[in-house]
Amino acid sequence: MQIHDDPPTLVEAFLLVEQPRQRISHWTQALAALDASTAPPLASVHAFYDSIADQAVLQLRYDALALGTVRLGYVVEVALLAEVGMIQPAELSEGERSRFLSDRLARCTLHVSYARDVVGALTELVKRIKDTRGGKSQPPPIPLAKGTRDDLQHTVQSLPVATTTSRHVIPRPMRSESPRDALGATPYMPTTAVAPKDMIYARYLRGGRWVPIRVGALSLKGAALMSGALPRLHDRVEVALSYGTHRALVRGEVGKISSVTEAAATGASTFSVQFEHDSSSRAQLTELLTAARTAKVTIKPAPARATRRFPVELPLCVGTTRGAIKADALDVSVGGMFVRPAFALDRGSIASFSMALDDELGPVGGRVRVVRHIADAFAKACGVPPGFGLGIVEMTDYDRGRWSAFLARVEKRSERRVVVGAPGTRLGELQVALESCGYVVTGGTDPGAIVQLARASDRPVDAALFDAGWLSNGASSSWVESLFSARGIPCATALGDARRARGAIDRILDVV
């Protein structure tokens, strides 16, 4: 393979994406920000596949004038949030650059040249990998001999972030923020943040959002976890654990979920996960468990909650003695909600609230007591959202009835998965409309990525939503919809207000 020198006006960066075939749905969502309308325009994208390391190497080229003064800052933020390694060859030494460009790329067995966007290039590369292998499972990567210098990634990933020798080589960090979080949010959990040492804190990735969960049992083999919103049986989930300065990110398959009767008795549903370790996750979890065991921390059954809590993201207004305060409800239950207000609330105080529901009948309201506060420092250390817990102390019978019906709809949505295809900012608008009221949502701006989402998972989504202006011609639209219909997945088309689109999905999935 011949590598051509670029004109000096082009700026180049390489992203190293691990296990592209097995995790294509995750990577297409995580890297979609690079194709957004707000991202710097790409001059070209090339994708290479390194079968030895089982990595996709994405070569991104930008015009220096298009990048402006921020240079590759936007790309660096996306790489950090997506947890991929990034290398800027122009900033490396001559020897390092030569080893990477000549040795690493030369051994890549497949490549896609001059793709239009990042997600499209990765999707096409994965398609070629599958075609080459004839649909067979991919063998594990061949380990490198000790002392072999690969492309700096072998060395950099073994070092903590603080000791990275060059700011131009971005190692893969631990995830701490949702892939939906805005660029500029904390991209990884600092090892200096100390979680309280009285218990192990946990959360799991649900769609594009981290949801706090409680740990019922934990070992190297797996865990029993409690949450108001469950994954599905046999889903593969990511679980982030925190104890003191120790962090572990593990993945595994959901092996069991609790029954409706069990959930009603404990106020939280339980699911078990059997971990599928790589060397990194096993080492992280071993260190965390060893530290907890040394401190004689025991995992005790969590106290039962009166009712289940469901994750949402809905605006509300809290009336205090200092005036009205805007806030977002992050979870809701029969007895209250957890909110993130624009200004701090006084614990123990009584306030009023007003929230517009999804029935378009006007807001419900009542009086609440501030019963809990999670401060920013505690939240950052434990990997949970900061905010205030509000207990409902008074509602009219009419509003209480509407609140109960709303929770029943959110509960139904929390069990359903929806895939969204839409352009640019419209994608985010539709995702928020669905996620805010309980749905688990994945999506993309590229038809090829959406097709991969439909084909990649053993468990198909429950419905698909396509923006009316997403596909430019009727033939393409019919082709994508026919693919989903062939798998028994109902489709809806989004026109106008995103809330109308949510209503269409509600009708399809019989959420009433």
Side-chain angles (χ1 to χ4, degrees):
M1 183 186 307
Q2 186 176 1
I3 305 298
H4 298 280
D5 293 332
D6 293 323
T9 56
L10 288 182
V11 179
E12 191 175 56
F14 288 84
L15 300 183
L16 308 176
V17 179
E18 299 181 34
Q19 296 183 315
R21 182 185 178 191
Q22 296 92 323
R23 305 183 64 199
I24 181 62
S25 59
H26 168 73
W27 293 129
T28 52
Q29 184 176 5
L31 298 177
L34 294 172
D35 299 326
S37 58
T38 54
L42 282 153
S44 65
V45 184
H46 304 265
F48 306 87
Y49 179 59
D50 183 347
S51 59
I52 295 178
D54 192 15
Q55 284 185 339
V57 182
L58 302 179
Q59 182 183 30
L60 313 182
R61 291 174 175 173
Y62 296 89
D63 188 287
L65 295 177
L67 289 176
T69 57
V70 297
R71 304 293 288 174
L72 288 172
Y74 183 95
V75 183
V76 169
E77 291 287 358
V78 173
L80 287 170
L81 290 174
E83 297 181 332
V84 299
M86 175 175 166
I87 292 179
Q88 300 176 48
E91 305 295 342
L92 300 178
S93 69
E94 185 63 32
E96 292 170 335
R97 183 164 59 250
S98 176
R99 274 190 293 269
F100 179 74
L101 294 176
S102 301
D103 300 338
R104 179 63 185 277
L105 294 187
R107 81 184 191 200
C108 292
T109 56
L110 296 170
H111 70 278
V112 175
S113 299
Y114 294 99
R116 292 179 298 174
D117 52 60
V118 176
V119 172
L122 182 59
T123 302
E124 178 61 22
L125 183 67
V126 169
K127 179 178 180 296
R128 297 185 186 185
I129 296 171
K130 290 183 176 181
D131 291 343
T132 300
R133 296 190 176 278
K136 296 180 180 180
S137 299
Q138 189 166 342
I142 301 172
L144 298 174
K146 289 186 178 181
T148 300
R149 185 181 178 98
D150 185 29
D151 61 350
L152 297 182
Q153 186 74 353
H154 178 69
T155 301
V156 171
Q157 285 190 354
S158 66
L159 297 175
V161 172
T163 62
T164 301
T165 57
S166 171
R167 64 184 177 86
H168 305 292
V169 181
I170 310 299
R172 185 171 70 91
M174 283 186 62
R175 184 198 306 268
S176 72
E177 301 295 333
S178 162
R180 280 186 54 235
D181 288 346
L183 294 176
T186 304
Y188 61 92
M189 185 71 68
T191 57
T192 55
V194 181
K197 295 185 177 181
D198 56 341
M199 63 184 294
I200 297 172
Y201 295 85
R203 52 189 175 151
Y204 89 99
L205 191 60
R206 178 179 178 266
R209 179 180 176 185
W210 285 106
V211 177
I213 51 179
R214 295 184 290 175
V215 179
L218 178 64
S219 71
L220 271 178
K221 294 183 178 180
L225 306 165
M226 287 168 280
S227 172
L230 288 173
R232 300 175 300 180
L233 191 64
H234 303 307
D235 274 353
R236 280 180 165 75
V237 297
E238 296 186 12
V239 180
L241 301 160
S242 304
Y243 174 74
T245 59
H246 299 278
R247 306 289 182 268
L249 180 64
V250 292
R251 300 178 180 88
E253 181 176 336
V254 176
K256 180 183 178 182
I257 58 175
S258 60
S259 66
V260 175
T261 302
E262 292 170 336
T266 62
S269 300
T270 302
F271 65 96
S272 63
V273 178
Q274 183 176 0
F275 297 146
E276 301 168 351
H277 288 295
D278 55 26
S279 58
S280 176
S281 66
R282 178 178 292 276
Q284 292 172 3
L285 185 56
T286 299
E287 291 179 4
L288 185 148
L289 290 172
T290 301
R293 189 178 298 113
T294 301
K296 298 183 179 180
V297 172
T298 57
I299 299 176
K300 301 176 182 178
R305 287 174 170 165
T307 55
R308 290 174 64 185
R309 302 178 182 181
F310 301 101
V312 296
E313 194 166 346
L314 293 171
L316 75 153
C317 182
V318 181
T320 70
T321 55
R322 293 173 292 175
I325 296 176
K326 292 182 179 180
D328 291 315
L330 303 183
D331 71 41
V332 292
S333 68
V334 171
M337 65 196 81
F338 186 79
V339 304
R340 181 176 54 207
F343 300 96
L345 305 175
D346 296 326
R347 186 168 180 176
S349 63
I350 299 293
S352 61
F353 83 95
S354 177
M355 178 190 293
L357 303 184
D358 58 355
D359 54 11
E360 300 184 1
L361 296 177
V364 299
R367 292 172 63 79
V368 293
R369 183 188 302 275
V370 182
V371 296
R372 187 185 183 199
H373 175 214
I374 296 181
D376 289 347
F378 179 91
K380 185 175 182 180
C382 300
V384 297
F388 295 81
L390 307 182
I392 299 175
V393 296
E394 182 183 337
M395 289 182 80
T396 66
D397 290 341
Y398 175 72
D399 280 358
R400 177 65 74 176
R402 287 183 58 204
W403 183 257
S404 298
F406 163 67
L407 292 175
R409 292 191 294 273
V410 172
E411 181 176 5
K412 288 183 178 179
R413 294 185 187 116
S414 71
E415 300 168 354
R416 304 299 181 92
R417 272 63 176 166
V418 182
V419 64
V420 177
T425 56
R426 179 65 167 167
L427 174 63
E429 180 183 345
L430 294 173
Q431 284 184 297
V432 168
L434 295 172
E435 288 178 337
S436 64
C437 289
Y439 284 114
V440 183
V441 183
T442 56
T445 60
D446 182 80
I450 297 299
V451 169
Q452 288 296 334
L453 286 172
R455 292 174 173 171
S457 176
D458 295 333
R459 298 291 308 279
V461 295
D462 297 290
L465 177 65
F466 304 129
D467 181 68
W470 179 48
L471 298 175
S472 58
N473 61 73
S476 296
S477 177
S478 299
W479 173 71
V480 173
E481 290 186 8
S482 65
L483 173 67
F484 282 86
S485 298
R487 300 198 68 181
I489 301 171
C491 302
T493 300
L495 286 167
D497 193 340
R499 289 175 295 181
R500 295 173 57 187
R502 188 197 64 226
I505 294 297
D506 284 345
R507 289 189 292 273
I508 286 175
L509 298 179
D510 196 26
V511 176
V512 295

